[in-house]
Amino acid sequence: MKTRADWQKHRATLTLQTRAYIDGAFVDAEGGATFDSINPATEALNAKIARCGPADVDKAVAAARRAFRARSLAGLEPSARKALLLRVADLMEARRHDFVLADAIDIGKPVRFAAMEFDNAVKTFRWYAEAIDKVYGETGPVGDGDLSLVVREPLGVVAAVVPWNFPMLMAAWKVAPALAAGNSVILKPAEQSPLSALLLAEVMHAAGMPAGTFNVLPGEGPEVGMPLGLHMDVDMVTFTGSTEVGKLFLQYSGRSNMKRISTECGGKSPNIVMADSDDLEAIAETAAAAIFYNQGEVCTAGSRLFVQRPIYERFLALLVEKAKAWRPGDPLDPDTLFGPMVDAAQLRTALDYAEIGRREGRILCGGERWAEAPAGYYMTPTIVADIPNEGRLAQEEVFGPVLAVIPFDTAEDALAMANDSRFGLASAIWTRDVSTALRTARRLEAGMVWVNAWDPCNITVPFGGYKQSGIGRDRALHALEKYTETKMIWIRL
Ligand code: NAD
């Protein structure tokens, strides 16, 4: 395993890609504008990145459409498209350290987690590559005089607008199935995390992805995301990010060409611990990881923890103990579990919510900027007990390391409070009683329910939310299908 010194040495030699990737070439933004990529652990400049705007969007959409009409990807034999995407995965893997480092310096993600997530991104490309030549169409039930076919076709030009918290994984969940289905793709990384997306462009280029079928436009939301959303020649936007911006994309679609919109948005996910549960210490450890992984900057963070009253105080004590493992540190140190927040604004938001928690409940630990940090946007892991479910800390997404703990009496009470939320992304119930587990799992208004666990999942199962956590699903064959149109062909014999 690489040491911190190894990573620092690697940083000194890594040449970062800073230009946009349009129509098979790395180019400056129109007019030469740039924005700064800042390392949130040191506040130092990583690089100046091409700041794309509406003119670059037009160029990329035109190239993507041209490539689609030429059938550069869609027209390939499925086995050839599969080989191409497998080559992308192999070349990604060959540059594993570059990708891991890029996310670590861009958003402060600890290298050990950046590596794990990167490996999942590679697996995602392989999984969809392997699916390409194994998905069949249908024939309809018709009489002797007819034959009907139901075929799936790529949509055309798909824009993937992604957030900064899992830059590579979110991109892979969208780009891999969209390309596998034969679409042209325009990836718009978040302004906080352009580096790994541009490395992906280098890999696509080296793998021989046909010009125009994959493009990367770094830049601000209103300058790149909005023109993509409003573009008359984009067929779909696949979005992951805040609920607020997800709703904007639905409006952009209505104001333009009724393009398809899929949204993976925010969450305030309930984690319910019944008093009959086994091994409270292990559950407390998982509950701490559920909120503190990635500094709480996780859409599925277990940010509302419901604990049944008979074990409430004992569980809180265990939780505070387990939170100590999430000590802030340098993201380049392989032992670090907890890095800085992505930027000053996100740190401010999380600190403000800690203050709200102080007013609404009882703060048990954290709630402050990490005083020992020589630089960077570091916060301490924060736990607030006795939060009312109708209060702001229980209802609003913090997107930071602030846990709201709520006591309850019966499973019915916990379920009612868990469902009393505008979000419905992830959820969990811990109990030894199989009926309580299954009854609750059925009635939780969430796209994902774990029983006696938090977060186990992989590419084979769908990911997404109910209510204002979004529309549509990533992962599994559900995602492959969403990047296709359904066509009926009826043949009179
Ligand atoms: P964000 O909504 O601010 O930004 C997401 C993307 O949208 C970025 O690329 C951004 O540039 C772009 N954007 C911003 N404003 C825009 C506008 N006016 N028009 C068009 N595009 C615009 O979200 P974020 O801060 O990057 O990420 C955090 C949010 O993402 C949280 O709410 C989190 O829950 C959510 N998220 C959800 C999932 C999920 O799968 N459900 C996964 C990760 C993150």
Side-chain angles (χ1 to χ4, degrees):
M1 200 189 359
K2 270 178 170 293
T3 63
R4 183 179 176 193
D6 293 335
W7 284 112
Q8 283 166 337
K9 210 155 81 197
H10 192 73
R11 170 69 193 100
T13 53
L14 176 67
T15 308
L16 296 166
Q17 178 57 253
T18 61
R19 301 206 289 173
Y21 185 64
I22 302 174
D23 203 10
F26 287 94
V27 292
D28 290 326
E30 196 76 30
T34 60
F35 67 96
D36 293 345
S37 155
I38 302 288
N39 182 336
T42 61
E43 299 173 52
L45 180 74
N46 288 321
K48 288 196 166 296
I49 307 292
R51 179 176 177 158
C52 294
D56 304 292
V57 169
D58 284 342
K59 270 200 317 201
V61 174
R65 177 63 61 194
R66 249 191 333 270
F68 184 68
R69 290 250 158 85
R71 311 273 302 160
S72 318
L73 195 60
L76 291 180
E77 283 289 325
S79 58
R81 212 174 332 134
K82 167 170 135 179
L84 178 57
L85 282 188
L86 287 176
R87 197 150 65 238
V88 169
D90 290 346
L91 292 179
M92 282 173 79
E93 212 155 45
R95 296 193 64 186
R96 184 172 188 261
H97 290 146
D98 297 352
F99 277 97
V100 169
L101 188 64
D103 279 352
I105 62 175
D106 224 4
I107 61 159
K109 191 183 283 288
V111 281
R112 62 189 293 158
F113 296 138
M116 198 172 83
E117 292 164 20
F118 172 75
D119 292 344
N120 280 332
V122 174
K123 274 187 204 153
T124 302
F125 273 93
R126 293 219 167 98
W127 198 85
Y128 284 108
E130 287 294 349
I132 291 174
D133 58 359
K134 297 171 191 70
V135 177
Y136 294 78
E138 302 162 29
T139 59
V142 294
D144 281 352
D146 297 285
L147 173 67
S148 74
L149 309 175
V150 182
V151 295
R152 291 253 169 210
E153 298 184 339
L155 294 164
V157 177
V158 173
V161 180
V162 295
W164 44 263
N165 58 341
F166 294 92
M168 252 310 89
L169 198 55
M170 294 299 106
W173 283 4
K174 294 175 187 307
V175 171
L179 289 177
N183 296 284
S184 294
V185 174
I186 300 170
L187 172 64
K188 186 249 174 271
E191 48 275 38
Q192 296 88 343
S193 58
L195 298 180
S196 54
L198 293 170
L199 285 182
L200 183 63
E202 291 189 346
V203 162
M204 293 275 184
H205 193 82
M209 189 59 65
T213 48
F214 180 73
N215 307 270
V216 181
L217 299 179
E220 302 279 329
E223 293 168 12
V224 180
M226 185 164 81
L228 283 169
L230 287 170
H231 209 288
M232 295 301 286
D233 208 23
V234 169
D235 300 293
M236 176 177 186
V237 173
T238 172
F239 170 78
T240 293
S242 60
T243 292
E244 190 190 352
V245 177
K247 287 181 182 179
L248 285 180
F249 274 102
L250 294 172
Q251 293 180 22
Y252 300 153
S253 170
R255 282 163 52 196
S256 56
N257 60 344
M258 214 194 249
K259 61 178 64 61
R260 286 186 192 196
I261 303 290
S262 90
T263 55
E264 300 283 356
C265 297
K268 193 78 201 181
S269 299
N271 190 7
I272 304 170
V273 185
M274 301 295 297
D276 71 344
S277 300
D278 274 331
D279 199 351
L280 292 186
E281 192 172 342
I283 300 174
E285 191 171 350
T286 306
I291 181 68
F292 298 133
Y293 185 85
N294 214 45
Q295 303 74 245
E297 295 166 328
V298 180
C299 54
T300 53
S303 52
R304 274 192 304 158
L305 178 64
F306 294 94
V307 183
Q308 204 167 16
R309 275 193 214 279
I311 57 165
Y312 189 65
E313 289 301 333
R314 197 165 121 230
F315 196 81
L316 288 179
L318 288 169
L319 199 58
V320 170
E321 201 47 43
K322 298 299 176 189
K324 289 181 186 154
W326 297 86
R327 203 184 126 66
D330 179 355
L332 295 192
D333 183 338
D335 289 331
T336 295
L337 303 184
F338 193 87
M341 309 292 294
V342 71
D343 57 21
Q346 200 64 28
L347 172 64
R348 185 68 266 155
T349 306
L351 288 170
D352 287 349
Y353 274 106
E355 275 318 301
I356 291 168
R358 217 181 282 278
R359 287 199 298 276
E360 290 185 339
R362 169 168 54 116
I363 206 147
L364 300 182
C365 64
E368 288 150 359
R369 199 169 176 161
W370 184 43
E372 291 165 46
Y377 310 117
Y378 283 96
M379 181 170 172
T380 49
T382 305
I383 299 174
V384 196
D386 310 345
I387 290 293
N389 190 54
E390 60 284 359
R392 285 189 62 191
L393 193 61
Q395 291 295 327
E396 297 173 19
E397 184 181 43
V398 177
F399 221 56
V402 185
L403 176 63
V405 194
I406 302 167
F408 70 90
D409 291 309
T410 66
E412 281 297 315
D413 295 342
L415 183 68
M417 286 193 282
N419 285 342
D420 180 17
S421 167
R422 72 186 175 115
F423 299 111
L425 193 54
S427 59
I429 167 114
W430 300 79
T431 177
R432 274 184 304 174
D433 184 321
V434 71
S435 298
T436 305
L438 291 179
R439 207 179 297 124
T440 311
R442 276 196 181 157
R443 289 167 61 201
L444 275 166
E445 293 162 2
M448 293 170 279
V449 183
W450 292 292
V451 176
N452 293 333
W454 187 272
D455 212 28
C457 56
N458 62 28
I459 189 69
T460 63
V461 286
F463 180 102
Y466 282 26
K467 303 198 252 186
Q468 293 187 42
S469 289
I471 304 169
R473 294 291 180 269
D474 280 336
R475 295 198 314 215
L477 293 180
H478 297 265
L480 195 57
E481 205 165 275
K482 88 177 174 186
Y483 298 108
T484 61
E485 270 294 6
T486 306
K487 180 181 278 177
M488 181 282 283
I489 301 173
W490 190 291
I491 304 146
R492 173 95 350 134
L493 302 177

